[in-house]
Amino acid sequence: MTTIRVGLADDQPLFRAGIRMILDSQDDFEVVWEAGDGAEAVDRSRAEPVDLVLMDLEMPRMGGVEATSAILHPDDPADVVAGLRIVVLTTFELTDTTFKAIQAGASGFLLKNADPEFLLASLRTIHAGSAVVAPSVMTGLVERFARRSAVVDTDALEQLTAREREIFALLAAGLSNNEIAADRQLSDATVKTHVSRILGKLELRDRVQLVIFAYENGLVSTA
């Protein structure tokens, strides 16, 4: 069994203790270190490399966005920690800070009130190489897409077919392949093909980058 090594960065000791208790209850997780602020998290991640860092956004000395950027994009290439992935844990939902954290390189965005089972499953998914964003963060995007008819005509999406643009909107709204298949009465295999083509045409790595793309091109708004 592969052990997932974790670092916890949060300025609330009780919250760190709660997360540690959840992770320590699992055979495949090991909490290697804890940090009370972003600057300490940067130092600890370099001194004691881990697979995942669970990062709070609002911390003293250095916030989560700045710490994420410093860890993943250090000035000295020798400080790069190979394979490390950062997961933002916060009480906030859809804000500009959310997108800045993901733009800085975070592979996941989860709310602190997440169910422990969802948290564990998400961390395993992220460790396996995928990206995860809390469903509640994505739910509000559905209405924002619906209010913007330009989503079909925008220049940014001209290279997509009409069907791909429909699926693009559903992807950005956080729907899974199965949910998209049910919504559009398509097979799972067909949806998977569409998703692959959309990401390929837009040169995006995953669904998180797709949401950033939509945000940066004015297809959704956090207002």
Side-chain angles (χ1 to χ4, degrees):
M1 176 186 296
T2 300
T3 298
I4 303 174
R5 294 164 52 84
V6 179
L8 303 178
D10 194 288
D11 61 341
Q12 299 180 23
L14 284 177
F15 179 76
R16 294 200 308 269
I19 295 296
R20 177 184 278 274
M21 188 183 334
I22 293 171
L23 297 181
D24 284 347
S25 70
Q26 305 295 304
D27 293 336
D28 57 338
F29 284 97
E30 176 190 358
V31 177
V32 177
W33 52 258
E34 297 183 23
D37 60 61
E40 184 181 1
V42 174
D43 292 339
R44 296 298 296 272
S45 67
R46 292 172 182 169
E48 301 176 84
V50 293
D51 301 306
L52 300 177
V53 173
L54 276 58
M55 183 79 71
D56 186 25
L57 284 180
E58 299 293 334
M59 293 183 290
R61 289 212 297 164
M62 180 186 289
V65 173
E66 186 178 0
T68 296
S69 181
I71 292 172
L72 297 180
H73 310 289
D75 293 332
D76 186 348
D79 290 331
V80 173
V81 180
L84 184 152
R85 298 169 72 82
I86 293 181
V87 184
V88 172
L89 284 178
T90 183
T91 55
F92 301 103
E93 293 195 2
L94 190 63
T95 68
D96 284 341
T97 305
T98 306
F99 287 97
K100 288 178 182 178
I102 298 177
Q103 285 174 312
S107 297
F109 184 88
L110 304 174
L111 300 182
K112 287 185 174 181
N113 63 0
D115 180 86
E117 291 303 316
F118 177 77
L119 171 65
L120 292 169
S122 297
L123 295 182
R124 291 183 179 112
T125 297
I126 292 168
H127 178 256
S130 297
V132 176
V133 177
S136 58
V137 175
M138 294 303 177
T139 300
L141 295 180
V142 177
E143 291 183 1
R144 293 187 177 106
F145 268 102
R147 289 200 302 267
R148 288 176 175 263
S149 60
V151 70
V152 174
D153 301 320
T154 180
D155 292 343
L157 302 182
E158 280 187 349
Q159 56 192 309
L160 303 184
T161 66
R163 173 65 82 180
E164 288 169 348
R165 287 194 286 268
E166 292 175 8
I167 292 177
F168 172 92
L170 296 175
L171 285 171
L175 273 66
S176 68
N177 285 4
N178 289 341
E179 290 169 332
I180 293 174
D183 185 87
R184 288 294 181 262
Q185 298 183 343
L186 300 170
S187 70
D188 290 346
T190 298
V191 172
K192 184 176 181 180
T193 298
H194 281 308
V195 171
S196 178
R197 288 176 178 169
I198 291 168
L199 294 176
K201 287 181 178 180
L202 299 180
E203 298 183 353
L204 303 173
R205 182 187 63 209
D206 51 41
R207 293 170 187 246
V208 172
Q209 285 199 342
L210 184 144
V211 174
I212 295 173
F213 174 87
Y215 171 77
E216 290 179 332
N217 284 281
L219 305 176
V220 291
S221 169
T222 58

